[in-house]
Amino acid sequence: MKLSTRTRYGIRATLELAVNHGKGPLQTKVIAQRQNISVKYLEQLMALLKAGGIVRSIRGSRGGYVLARAPNEVRMSDVFNALEGPVVPV
């Protein structure tokens, strides 16, 4: 199965948040720099992941994004569905 760039980048961003779990929120510019992703594109992906209940945002100067659940509770299929929508066999 070939994954879209959107899904690959979304999974990478989610993994970055999982590695950082419990250490506070990560700003999009930090995730983008670590994963070599455009900040603008990452902001779009994070909005989709937030709407899908994968991440939550924290406002303020030290704000950013954290996982909405514990890392062991987030499945890659959840990330895929949040970014691509439900899969329909053809």
Side-chain angles (χ1 to χ4, degrees), residues 10-68:
I11 289 172
R12 287 170 43 191
T14 304
L15 286 173
E16 188 69 40
L17 291 173
V19 168
N20 197 62
H21 185 70
K23 298 177 186 171
L26 278 179
Q27 296 177 340
T28 51
K29 66 181 178 180
V30 173
I31 299 170
Q33 182 181 26
R34 289 181 184 174
Q35 294 297 323
N36 196 23
I37 303 170
S38 162
V39 175
K40 292 261 187 201
Y41 192 56
L42 182 60
E43 288 172 349
Q44 295 172 12
L45 296 179
M46 295 308 269
L48 292 171
L49 291 171
K50 183 179 175 185
I54 307 297
V55 300
R56 64 184 178 92
S57 61
I58 297 174
R59 297 177 62 135
S61 62
R62 298 202 180 234
Y65 288 92
V66 295
L67 289 177

